[in-house]
Amino acid sequence: MAAKSTSLFNGAITRRAVVESFKKLDPRIQFRNPVMFVVYIGSILTSGLFIQALFAHGEAAPGFILAISLWLWFTVLFANFAEAMAEGRGKAQADTLRKARRDTPARKLAEAHRDARVQSVSATTLRKGDIILAQAGDLIAADGEVIEGIASVDESAITGESAPVIRESGGDRSSVTGGTRVLSDWLMIRVACNPGETFLDRMIAMVEGAKRQKTPNEIALNILLAKLTIIFLLATVTLLPFSIYAVNAAGRGVPVPVTVLVALLVCLIPTTIGGLLSAIGIAGMDRMIQKNVIATSGRAVEAAGNVDVLLLDKTGTITLGNRQAVNFIPAKGVTVEQLADAAQLSSFADETPEGRSIVVLAKDRYKLRGRELSSMHAQFIPFTAQTRMSGVDCDGRKIRKGAADAIAAYVAELGGVYPDSVKAAVDEISRRGGTPLAVADGPSVLGVIELKDIVKGGIKERFAELRRMGIKTVMITGDNPLTAAAIAAEAGVDDFLAQATPETKLKLIREYQQGGRLVAMTGDGTNDAPALAQADVAVAMNSGTQAAKEAGNMVDLDSNPTKLIEVIETGKQLLMTRGSLTTFSIANDVSKYFAIIPAIFVGIYPAMGRLNIMHLATPKSAIMSAVIFNALIIIVLIPLALRGVKYRPMPAGKLLLQNVLLYGVGGLIVPFIGIKLIDMALVAMHLA
Amino acid sequence: MTPNAWIQILAFLVVLVALVKPLGAFMARVYEGQPCGLDKPLGFLERLTYRVAGIQPDQPMNWKTYAIAVLMFNLLGGLVVYALQRLQGFLPLNPEHLGAVSPDLAWNTAISFISNTNWQSYSGETTLSYLTQMLGLTVQNFVSAATGMAVLVALIRGIRGRQTDHIGNFWVDLVRSTLYILLPLSFVLALILVSQGVVQTLSPYKQVSLIQPVSYVQSTTNAAGKTMHQTVWVKHQVLPLGPAASQIAIKQLGTNGGGFFGVNSAHPFENPNPLSNFLEVLAILLIPAALCYTFGRMVGDTRQGWAILAAMLIIFVPLMIGCVWAEHSGNPKIAALGVNQQSSALMSGGNMEGKETRFGVTDSAIWAAVTTAASNGSVNSMHDSFTPLGGLVPMWLMELGEVIFGGVGSGLYGMLMFVIVAVFIAGLMVGRTPEYLGKKIEAFEMKMATICVLVPPALVLVTTAIACVTVMGTSAIANPGAHGFSEILYWASSTGNNNGSAFAGLSTNTPFYNIAGGILMWVSRYFLIVPTLALAGAFARKKQVPVSSGTLPTHDALFTGWLVATVVLIGALTFLPALALGPVVEYLHLWH
Amino acid sequence: MWSQCRPAVVVFVVLSAITGLAYPLLVTGIAAVAFPWQANGSIIKNSAGQAIGSRLIGQYFSEPGYFWPRPSATAPVPYCSYNGPLADCATASNSGPSNPALFAHVKRRVELLRAADPAEKGPVPVDLVTSSASGLDPDISPAAAFYQVNRVAKARGLPVAEVKNLVKQYCQGRDLGILGAPRVNVLSLNLALDRLSSAQAATGSKPR
């Protein structure tokens, strides 16, 4: 995101949130949150009792009722404020995004041809399947797939990354996003979606929280909170008849006033978590966006917290970029120059980094120059996932390079022999963790090119972290098993899938899911799309193809495959924050009982004064202190709700212990101190 | 507390825990349909039942069919118990010629016994014929217990099921529970009890001559409206008899608690000496404790069962010790009257009001804690006369939802609902969608679990509130002041959690208490069974999530502690205000 | 739903027959053979073969020459275990711990005991002034028995040591050494007391 708000309480957002908190007093909005709705009703009820006390004989002193009533309204407003703060931060980001969604003119082509008739139309009229042309300086009018051309594109409006990126037809860099700008050259683009459904639109809706639906865990938690609220409602409502009995039995005192019952109820029901619940959810999405990950739903973020298995593409994720050719090893009876020549010849048209590195290695080491290919009637055979080979047919030669077993099958088909010396070289390279690429000319195998992977620095530590979280990492690679094993060992992944094809990837994911595991994967290519669609949490790279982005449920704008780890952390934080605040909220009730129960019954049974273990000044100050504490704690915890509970990878048991001590035991103790301090303050201010 | 009190507590716990594994493993075999040793002598009865009833024992049910079978069977049982009470005057085995029971009492008693509550608004020896006791109550003592066990087993099958609709066959679970578990244990216990002096006969009540005749003054009003005083000499004592031992054995083993006689296990013919007392109190917790192991065995991880048992013990033991301590402390106002309450080698001492000499305060307090931890409700002393804190213990144990051991089966499935709530919050705190034994806890599971956790306290609070401000409620109170409130609260807690014990000063044989109590017992039994079975069905349909280091362990000390905290906190937060107005304030008045 | 009807009815009938008839009748039969005395109420008979009480059920004694049992809340008389249908008999006081009626009752009982034996000044053992749970408690604590020795001996004209010895003889310890509480069966003790008195009268060793 271009404009990340780093400070939690940004002035403009806070001001807007204050206004919003009052707007949210609308009963229709309040009704959505059962816990806070009870507080809301309580506020209205006590306000009514205050008015009654003013003009008629009230159940308690009007000043006391007013004070309680005001603090109940504050409780509602503080909860509203928390939600408004979370939303406000999202809105600020949405506004930045909206600037990119200007109504741009588009050059619509009548047909998919560079010289076709151009018609200038508004971007909003573009439909899926239309072909448009974007030239240097143009804003790209819509999301789409490049079908022709290559250009550098400035995507900073979306990703916040100022360096331009290359977009070209075919391959994995063919998708473009509406609102980005072409800097050089031109692109012919097939529009991929209708207006209003563009990536930018979805992103804005997401950050604004407009489309935010409650996640499954949130729903379950809401059920628990609602049930707790009902229990406390009953526990307090029945206190009225109980106290009537007590008054009769003791022959003194008065039944508990309704105002006090409402105060007790509000203190007991889980307002802390109830008031912060939606803020936590919104803030979670917001944190994802700050990490430059756009999730299509909150459900996906939450699911990320549950991931058991993480599938990672080797290339670009575990290893640095691409493999480099480092050596030519000829077969017996073949000179190294012959091999280098054939390898170079087969790679001229191979635009992959590996292919280029072969050309370069041959040139540097054996002074082989580029040749005029057109004179050789060369026909290039592109790489496919099925053949796992590429090559060239020219001058009657059929040069192929590819995975060792693919070449072996190829020569066998042509009646050739796969020599043992090559086999030995292949094994040796694999053992070293390199990638062997066999080269054949017709039925004879010329030798092997050694490609080498370089494992990214620091990746091993990341995987160890994942292991501590209980997540299994699986490396996916097209390499043969030997190579894969060597790299897997070097990178420290738990498992690997070698010689992966789209089918085997999909099968692997299904197997894990069948076993009850939740699978996450990252991908960028079109051939990743089926696997992404199958995975429970699928992060598509923004640099990837449109198909991959459609199939995933998150898009990483930075196109950084290890981002998944942060996504998982955010998902976990989201749940942990909810759980911890729920615990805190319920643990708080113990001290509130000790403040309020003696206070309301001491008039009937003076012996109850012995339960006033906090030595609160008067019954009224005790009740006030509990109510004020209950309201203020919401404000105090807003930063925690927005930032999330800290997550450090460790086994679940340890994590639970830490949070139970912090939020459970802490939740028991803190309010005793807080309520006592507020009581002392009230006394000091002569309000008690 | 005396050294002997500690020794007795320890002895009880050691024997109980030692029996958990053998009995638990045996019950697991029974429910898994494996040979258990008793299928040889009793198997023909099982097979005969299935044949006559047209039951295919290997055909499992989905949760709805299971629930319908449970409800239908219980409804039938209720109708029969009601009919027997109303018609006993015309039926055989009625040597004392007892007449029909009143409709409201018969309704209350029928619900009470089918729901495994065994609340008694009557005294057996003055109200029920031998036939009603045997064919009505003894039968329900067995089958209501077996129903609870069947529902538990269904839930266990749901938890370990993998994407299936089936949770077992109710008829099979019911018949096997009765034939192989309850019947043999009861048979053995009944005979031991008879050997100790518990009566077991079909003879009529026995009349004996008193050594010292007793007189009393009888006041009658003659036709002219004049009150006449007349001294009556009593030279005989009538000893009520009956087939008691056979019923008492299952009353304890099945956590039923309904006494053959009115004063329940305090009656010397029900519980003649400390040894019979020990066996009976042991029998109360035996099956609920052992079922924890059965659970662990059946879900394939016995540590899970031990963890739940540990959680139960962690809550139970301190409360039991607290109760024993409170009763040993005696009553300061009685000490002030020149009474010696000091325990010694020559007497139990302590608060002896409402307690039997042979049991003393220790065995009485242990029993009080045990009978209310389990949803048994039988008493060997009068809880109404306990010290305030001593009485708070049994009251609160019931209010915890009868999940600390609880009823046979029902206690553990109730506890599993708390486990689900505990797992849910703990699961969130470790950042994963909560799961228990590989089953994800989602909105539906939460809904069912919270219904089970919510219903009993809601019933208790609301009915207490109604009773304590209406004349029909307060007129039954026997003791003045805060203690009167405790009596009502105890009644509601007992019936609303299917326990059945009482602060017996409250005169509950009135239409209001009989009808309201019946409703409470009915709702708290069946409105928990149905959601439990629904939960079993939902669990069964789910995938099993494999364990990883990110999975929250539910068998370790930390989780056990967390479960304890959840149960105690919910129980405390719900009932603290009410308890403050009852036993707590009475304690403050008595001691300060 | 209706498919479950037949199993419900049949299983109910079969289980009722097994648990409600066969089981109690079998236990009754075995008990009648193996434990006939216990199964029929542990009845004590006098030398004439007349049933004079149960070993397990207390009887009321108020004469100073007998050991008194604990107070009993049964109605219409103490230790009434059955008084005909529809009138609860065996019962407890169910007095709460702060009930003034309880304190009044205890006070009266203390006064009664003191009046019967003004020489005894010590505190009264608690079980002697509090009602039992069943109202039929057959026992008192040894302490309560010893408390009454002087009064009984005086009323009967027996030597205190002899009565004390008798009490010691009838003291029961805890079952298995740990279970329950120490106790004395009042009916047995009083019967033994009567035997002792008549033996003394017969030998005439001591004037009454």
Side-chain angles (χ1 to χ4, degrees):
Chain A
M1 203 74 28
K4 285 183 194 168
S5 52
T6 42
S7 92
L8 215 48
F9 287 97
N10 163 308
I13 294 176
T14 312
R15 272 192 297 281
R16 190 152 66 165
V18 171
V19 177
E20 280 292 311
S21 355
F22 283 93
K23 281 192 193 157
K24 281 173 187 284
L25 288 177
D26 184 333
R28 280 164 303 178
I29 296 176
Q30 292 293 322
F31 189 70
R32 279 186 237 149
N33 183 337
V35 178
M36 294 316 292
F37 189 66
V38 170
V39 185
Y40 183 72
I41 296 290
S43 312
I44 294 171
L45 184 62
T46 49
S47 304
L49 289 169
F50 166 63
I51 292 165
Q52 187 216 6
L54 269 188
F55 297 107
H57 182 68
E59 56 166 14
F64 175 69
I65 301 178
L66 177 67
I68 295 278
S69 181
L70 278 179
W71 278 101
L72 296 188
W73 282 115
F74 285 150
T75 313
V76 176
L77 287 171
F78 290 167
N80 289 349
F81 177 72
E83 191 179 78
M85 279 297 291
E87 284 171 352
R89 288 151 56 81
K91 281 211 180 85
Q93 283 162 331
D95 289 347
T96 320
L97 286 173
R98 255 196 211 95
K99 285 184 193 130
R101 196 182 60 177
R102 271 168 284 176
D103 188 15
T104 43
R107 293 169 217 269
K108 186 176 170 189
L109 294 175
E111 53 186 298
H113 193 272
R114 175 79 174 88
D115 304 319
R117 191 168 49 84
V118 176
Q119 188 189 356
S120 187
V121 298
S122 159
T124 51
T125 64
L126 291 173
R127 287 289 175 275
K128 195 171 173 178
D130 287 351
I131 309 290
I132 55 171
L133 184 69
Q135 292 179 324
D138 286 357
L139 273 177
I140 295 174
D143 293 359
E145 185 100 30
V146 178
I147 50 175
E148 209 181 319
I150 176 163
S152 63
V153 177
D154 172 14
E155 295 194 336
S156 59
I158 304 286
T159 64
E161 177 60 56
S162 55
V165 294
I166 299 296
R167 289 286 175 249
E168 61 186 328
S169 64
D172 289 346
R173 289 182 295 179
S174 63
S175 108
V176 288
T177 311
T180 56
R181 188 179 295 276
V182 177
L183 295 178
S184 67
D185 305 293
W186 57 271
L187 294 171
M188 198 192 291
I189 299 159
R190 180 181 288 119
V191 175
C193 53
N194 294 326
E197 298 167 9
T198 64
F199 187 59
L200 206 55
D201 288 318
R202 276 191 290 161
M203 205 161 144
I204 291 168
M206 221 48 241
V207 296
E208 280 196 316
K211 267 175 57 184
R212 207 181 86 83
Q213 285 175 328
K214 285 199 176 106
T215 60
N217 280 316
E218 213 176 342
I219 294 169
L221 180 58
N222 255 316
I223 291 170
L224 177 67
L225 295 180
K227 291 289 159 67
L228 284 173
T229 305
I230 294 173
I231 288 187
F232 288 129
L233 187 67
L234 290 172
T236 41
V237 166
T238 52
L239 269 187
L240 184 61
F242 292 176
S243 68
I244 291 172
Y245 176 92
V247 169
N248 290 334
R252 56 176 289 170
V254 288
V256 187
V258 173
T259 306
V260 174
L261 284 181
V262 172
L264 177 62
L265 174 62
V266 170
C267 285
L268 293 180
I269 60 175
T271 48
T272 314
I273 178 67
L276 294 173
L277 194 55
S278 61
I280 294 169
I282 298 167
M285 297 296 285
D286 185 57
R287 280 202 301 282
M288 296 288 279
I289 291 157
Q290 286 183 27
K291 288 179 175 148
N292 267 359
V293 177
I294 305 296
T296 53
S297 72
R299 188 184 276 261
V301 180
E302 212 176 74
N306 296 331
V307 164
D308 301 292
V309 180
L310 184 49
L311 303 188
L312 294 154
D313 250 337
K314 182 195 75 175
T315 311
T317 309
I318 296 169
T319 57
L320 261 184
N322 298 293
R323 290 169 295 195
Q324 301 280 315
V326 291
N327 211 356
F328 295 114
I329 303 168
K332 215 175 214 170
V334 181
T335 66
V336 74
E337 282 79 11
Q338 277 175 303
L339 170 62
D341 178 64
Q344 190 184 43
L345 209 53
S346 71
S347 304
F348 274 127
D350 183 350
E351 283 298 306
T352 63
E354 288 91 345
R356 287 197 205 108
S357 81
I358 292 168
V359 174
V360 169
L361 183 71
K363 189 167 71 185
D364 288 356
R365 207 177 279 180
Y366 306 104
K367 312 282 180 250
L368 293 169
R369 291 265 153 229
R371 279 148 283 189
E372 189 49 57
L373 291 167
S374 54
S375 66
M376 299 163 74
H377 313 289
Q379 193 200 346
F380 292 100
I381 315 296
F383 178 87
T384 68
Q386 275 70 37
T387 61
R388 297 189 6 257
M389 291 190 300
S390 65
V392 63
D393 291 351
C394 69
D395 297 343
R397 296 171 72 186
K398 285 179 180 297
I399 303 174
R400 293 289 182 276
K401 71 171 199 292
D405 54 340
I407 293 292
Y410 174 75
V411 297
E413 199 175 300
L414 297 179
V417 183
Y418 187 70
D420 287 343
S421 61
V422 173
K423 216 179 273 173
V426 164
D427 287 351
E428 177 54 30
I429 293 167
S430 298
R431 243 191 305 284
R432 287 201 298 261
T435 306
L437 217 52
V439 181
D441 186 349
S444 57
V445 181
L446 298 177
V448 190
I449 310 166
E450 179 175 2
L451 299 174
K452 203 166 159 41
D453 270 310
I454 296 142
V455 171
K456 277 185 179 175
I459 198 83
K460 198 165 184 165
E461 288 71 30
R462 295 294 262 170
F463 291 146
E465 226 170 74
L466 284 167
R467 204 165 298 120
R468 279 201 296 279
M469 292 182 194
I471 296 167
K472 182 178 177 177
T473 45
V474 180
M475 181 180 85
I476 305 226
T477 171
D479 296 338
N480 66 56
L482 269 176
T483 313
I487 296 171
E490 190 179 342
V493 291
D494 298 318
D495 204 353
F496 60 85
L497 174 69
Q499 290 167 340
T501 62
E503 291 77 31
T504 55
K505 277 193 224 180
L506 196 60
K507 193 164 152 262
L508 182 71
I509 294 177
R510 289 215 174 112
E511 272 168 19
Y512 277 124
Q513 288 175 334
Q514 212 72 68
R517 290 186 165 83
L518 217 80
V519 181
M521 79 167 277
T522 55
D524 53 1
T526 300
N527 63 6
D528 287 331
L532 283 171
Q534 181 70 33
D536 302 284
V537 176
V539 182
M541 300 297 108
N542 189 44
S543 60
T545 59
Q546 194 65 32
K549 280 152 91 174
E550 291 286 333
N553 45 19
M554 286 181 213
V555 177
D556 176 18
L557 300 175
D558 294 342
S559 306
N560 169 9
T562 54
K563 189 67 81 56
L564 200 50
I565 296 175
E566 287 170 45
V567 171
I568 290 170
E569 284 182 356
T570 308
K572 283 190 180 297
Q573 268 192 320
L574 201 59
L575 298 188
M576 281 167 54
T577 311
R578 290 193 195 122
S580 300
L581 287 184
T582 304
T583 307
F584 185 82
S585 199
I586 297 169
N588 272 348
D589 285 354
V590 174
S591 61
K592 291 170 186 166
Y593 265 138
F594 275 102
I596 295 181
I597 292 287
I600 55 182
F601 293 130
V602 76
I604 303 171
Y605 294 125
M608 282 279 195
R610 296 187 158 269
L611 295 182
N612 181 7
I613 53 172
M614 283 182 270
H615 298 287
L616 303 177
T618 65
K620 277 180 185 172
S621 78
I623 295 162
M624 279 308 299
S625 306
V627 173
I628 293 172
F629 175 85
N630 191 55
L632 290 182
I633 197 73
I634 295 179
I635 288 286
V636 172
L637 290 174
I638 287 178
L640 182 74
L642 297 189
R643 275 201 205 103
V645 165
K646 209 175 220 142
Y647 175 73
R648 262 189 235 100
M650 55 174 95
K654 268 178 129 175
L655 204 55
L656 177 63
L657 181 65
Q658 180 188 306
N659 285 331
V660 165
L661 289 179
L662 205 59
Y663 298 97
V665 179
L668 280 177
I669 297 167
V670 165
F672 275 104
I673 300 166
I675 290 173
K676 178 69 187 168
L677 288 177
I678 294 170
D679 182 69
M680 285 159 69
L682 288 178
V683 172
M685 291 187 282
H686 302 287
L687 290 170
Chain B
M1 277 173 72
T2 59
N4 173 262
W6 289 106
I7 292 169
Q8 290 211 53
I9 290 171
L10 194 69
F12 172 71
L13 293 173
V14 167
V15 175
L16 176 69
V17 173
L19 290 172
V20 163
K21 191 173 169 183
L23 180 61
F26 171 79
M27 290 194 286
R29 295 186 74 81
V30 170
Y31 292 120
E32 301 285 19
Q34 295 162 340
C36 61
L38 291 171
D39 29 17
K40 285 240 167 72
L42 295 173
F44 76 97
L45 282 173
E46 187 190 358
R47 287 187 296 275
L48 179 80
T49 313
Y50 298 154
R51 198 163 327 124
V52 182
I55 295 163
Q56 255 100 49
D58 46 1
Q59 205 165 65
M61 301 170 169
N62 63 26
W63 82 263
K64 281 182 187 149
T65 313
Y66 204 103
I68 286 168
V70 169
L71 295 179
M72 204 181 272
F73 182 78
N74 279 255
L75 176 72
L76 190 62
L79 292 175
V80 169
V81 176
Y82 183 86
L84 278 171
Q85 292 178 84
R86 300 285 292 143
L87 300 174
Q88 64 179 7
F90 307 105
L91 295 170
L93 279 177
N94 186 3
E96 302 303 318
H97 308 292
L98 299 168
V101 179
S102 73
D104 58 313
L105 179 58
W107 140 269
N108 184 282
T109 308
I111 299 284
S112 176
F113 278 79
I114 60 167
S115 65
N116 198 252
T117 311
N118 300 28
W119 174 270
Q120 292 170 292
S121 283
Y122 63 91
S123 285
E125 63 267 43
T126 57
T127 317
L128 300 179
S129 74
Y130 291 173
L131 186 77
T132 310
Q133 295 266 30
M134 282 161 56
L135 209 48
L137 304 192
T138 306
V139 170
Q140 285 307 320
N141 272 310
F142 276 101
V143 295
S144 70
T147 298
M149 293 160 86
V151 172
L152 170 68
V153 172
L155 178 62
I156 295 174
R157 291 207 191 93
I159 288 173
R160 68 175 193 186
R162 283 162 199 236
Q163 290 162 291
T164 167
D165 273 336
H166 298 142
I167 57 172
N169 184 312
F170 172 65
W171 306 117
V172 174
D173 293 338
L174 177 77
V175 170
R176 292 181 72 87
S177 301
T178 310
L179 280 186
Y180 299 141
I181 300 170
L182 297 173
L183 199 59
L185 284 173
S186 303
F187 182 71
V188 173
L189 182 62
L191 287 178
I192 299 176
L193 289 178
V194 177
S195 77
Q196 295 303 305
V198 177
V199 294
Q200 177 75 22
T201 174
L202 298 177
S203 321
Y205 297 173
K206 177 94 180 166
Q207 181 170 302
V208 298
S209 322
L210 289 174
I211 310 281
Q212 181 206 305
V214 194
S215 67
Y216 69 98
V217 177
Q218 194 178 39
S219 307
T220 47
T221 311
N222 68 5
K226 232 174 126 187
T227 306
M228 309 280 285
H229 298 287
Q230 187 187 3
T231 301
V232 181
W233 280 94
V234 179
K235 297 191 175 112
H236 301 285
Q237 188 181 36
V238 178
L239 304 176
L241 300 172
S246 55
Q247 186 174 328
I248 288 156
I250 184 61
K251 134 187 157 183
Q252 310 299 21
L253 285 163
T255 61
N256 293 286
F260 194 88
F261 301 112
V263 291
N264 212 302
S265 289
H267 200 292
F269 279 167
E270 275 204 22
N271 191 3
N273 60 37
L275 183 63
S276 68
N277 186 74
F278 181 79
L279 293 174
E280 288 187 30
V281 81
L282 188 67
I284 294 175
L285 285 193
L286 186 62
I287 293 178
L291 278 172
C292 294
Y293 185 84
T294 308
F295 165 75
R297 182 63 82 84
M298 288 182 77
V299 298
D301 183 359
T302 49
R303 294 174 309 175
Q304 304 288 349
W306 288 118
I308 290 181
L309 182 63
M312 291 175 172
L313 286 170
I314 289 170
I315 296 175
F316 170 69
V317 174
L319 285 171
M320 173 168 70
I321 292 173
C323 189
V324 174
W325 167 81
E327 292 312 295
H328 264 284
S329 308
N331 187 329
K333 295 229 165 125
I334 286 183
L337 296 170
V339 173
N340 179 12
Q341 298 184 101
Q342 193 62 45
S343 154
S344 74
L346 294 179
M347 70 174 207
S348 155
N351 173 30
M352 281 300 286
E353 180 67 26
K355 294 188 180 65
E356 297 284 294
T357 309
R358 59 194 182 282
F359 306 138
V361 292
T362 307
D363 287 14
S364 302
I366 290 177
W367 185 296
V370 167
T371 194
T372 47
S375 79
N376 185 282
S378 65
V379 294
N380 74 350
S381 59
M382 294 300 136
H383 297 182
D384 210 350
S385 300
F386 271 37
T387 59
L389 295 185
L392 185 147
V393 168
M395 200 185 309
W396 196 50
L397 273 168
M398 295 187 297
E399 285 160 356
L400 289 178
E402 284 302 353
V403 298
I404 308 307
F405 298 105
V408 285
S410 62
L412 188 50
Y413 67 66
M415 186 60 153
L416 287 172
M417 301 302 147
F418 275 94
V419 169
I420 287 168
V421 173
V423 160
F424 181 76
I425 303 175
L428 288 184
M429 277 203 286
V430 301
R432 274 172 76 97
T433 293
E435 63 201 41
Y436 183 57
L437 301 176
K439 294 302 174 92
K440 287 224 157 80
I441 313 289
E442 289 162 301
F444 182 78
E445 290 75 36
M446 228 27 222
K447 205 176 278 174
M448 293 303 119
T450 47
I451 286 176
C452 291
V453 171
L454 172 76
V455 164
L459 289 174
V460 173
L461 287 170
V462 170
T463 43
T464 306
I466 294 170
C468 77
V469 289
T470 53
V471 176
M472 57 190 179
T474 52
S475 58
I477 288 171
N479 286 287
H483 196 85
F485 178 73
S486 300
E487 286 184 341
I488 295 177
L489 181 61
Y490 197 101
W491 163 77
S493 304
S494 176
T495 51
N497 286 289
N498 293 130
N499 180 278
S501 76
F503 268 14
L506 196 73
S507 321
T508 56
N509 192 5
T510 67
F512 167 74
Y513 279 102
N514 277 337
I515 292 167
I519 293 169
L520 248 63
M521 293 185 279
W522 181 71
V523 173
S524 70
R525 177 74 167 181
Y526 300 104
F527 280 59
L528 265 56
I529 281 184
V530 175
T532 302
L533 289 173
L535 195 60
F539 272 142
R541 278 192 296 275
K542 281 176 188 276
K543 275 187 206 161
Q544 192 102 21
V545 182
V547 173
S548 74
S549 72
T551 311
L552 177 76
T554 50
H555 56 75
D556 60 359
L558 179 64
F559 183 78
T560 306
W562 178 247
L563 176 61
V564 167
T566 308
V567 174
V568 169
L569 209 59
I570 291 181
L573 293 179
T574 314
F575 287 102
L576 208 83
L579 291 173
L581 287 173
V584 172
V585 78
E586 193 182 12
Y587 167 79
L588 292 172
H589 279 157
L590 204 55
W591 286 86
H592 295 290
Chain C
M1 176 169 174
W2 301 115
S3 64
Q4 300 302 322
C5 270
R6 179 176 156 206
V9 172
V10 174
V11 171
F12 185 80
V13 170
V14 172
L15 289 185
S16 293
I18 294 173
T19 62
L21 292 173
Y23 158 72
L25 294 178
L26 185 63
V27 175
T28 309
I30 295 174
V33 175
F35 313 106
W37 185 69
Q38 292 98 318
N40 285 289
S42 311
I43 303 296
I44 302 172
K45 292 180 176 164
N46 62 13
S47 47
Q50 187 192 10
I52 51 165
S54 164
R55 173 73 173 70
L56 297 175
I57 305 288
Q59 289 187 14
Y60 185 61
F61 293 95
S62 55
E63 287 169 10
Y66 280 120
F67 283 92
W68 295 354
R70 300 182 61 190
S72 162
T74 64
V77 292
Y79 291 87
C80 166
S81 54
Y82 181 71
N83 192 37
L86 300 177
D88 285 1
C89 217
T91 186
S93 72
N94 279 312
S95 290
S98 54
N99 191 341
L102 170 68
F103 305 137
H105 174 266
V106 170
K107 200 162 167 245
R108 263 201 315 279
R109 179 79 179 179
V110 169
E111 282 162 3
L112 193 68
L113 283 160
R114 294 242 162 100
D117 184 11
E120 177 62 63
K121 300 274 188 237
V124 187
V126 63
D127 52 303
L128 217 44
V129 297
T130 48
S131 320
S132 66
S134 61
L136 305 174
D137 196 341
D139 305 310
I140 53 176
S141 68
F146 288 123
Y147 182 87
Q148 303 181 59
V149 163
N150 285 332
R151 187 198 72 222
V152 172
K154 201 172 147 203
R156 297 217 169 213
L158 290 171
V160 170
E162 222 162 306
V163 177
K164 204 173 245 174
N165 262 334
L166 193 70
V167 171
K168 273 185 195 152
Q169 237 175 10
Y170 278 82
C171 275
Q172 269 179 284
R174 300 178 198 274
D175 286 15
L176 307 179
I178 56 167
L179 299 176
R183 60 200 190 273
V184 181
N185 186 298
V186 181
L187 182 60
S188 304
L189 179 62
N190 282 336
L191 286 173
L193 197 59
D194 279 348
R195 280 198 299 274
L196 183 69
S197 289
S198 50
Q200 297 264 352
T203 55
S205 62
K206 280 204 177 133
R208 178 132 192 175

